[in-house]
Amino acid sequence: MRALPRLAPTGSFAAYTVTDDDRVGGVAVDAKGVARLVIWICASKQVYPPR
């Protein structure tokens, strides 16, 4: 399991789709508490072990 970067330090996020070209789609909460649809590009280079 790996975690992706958040939009805000305390915001939650969830990934729903992974593609063959290293993209991950999901939703993340920004600093104002608004849920945003996001696509992490080059996801394998951004992941880190969860804490």
Side-chain angles (χ1 to χ4, degrees):
M1 177 188 272
R2 295 286 185 245
L4 287 160
R6 301 172 187 240
L7 295 180
T10 59
S12 61
F13 66 97
Y16 296 109
T17 304
V18 179
T19 66
D20 290 337
D21 61 351
D22 203 23
R23 294 181 295 160
V24 174
V27 64
V29 176
D30 67 15
K32 293 182 179 181
V34 178
R36 306 281 183 179
L37 296 176
V38 292
I39 298 174
W40 289 273
I41 299 170
C42 300
S44 64
K45 295 177 183 174
Q46 298 180 55
V47 296
Y48 58 91
R51 298 176 203 154

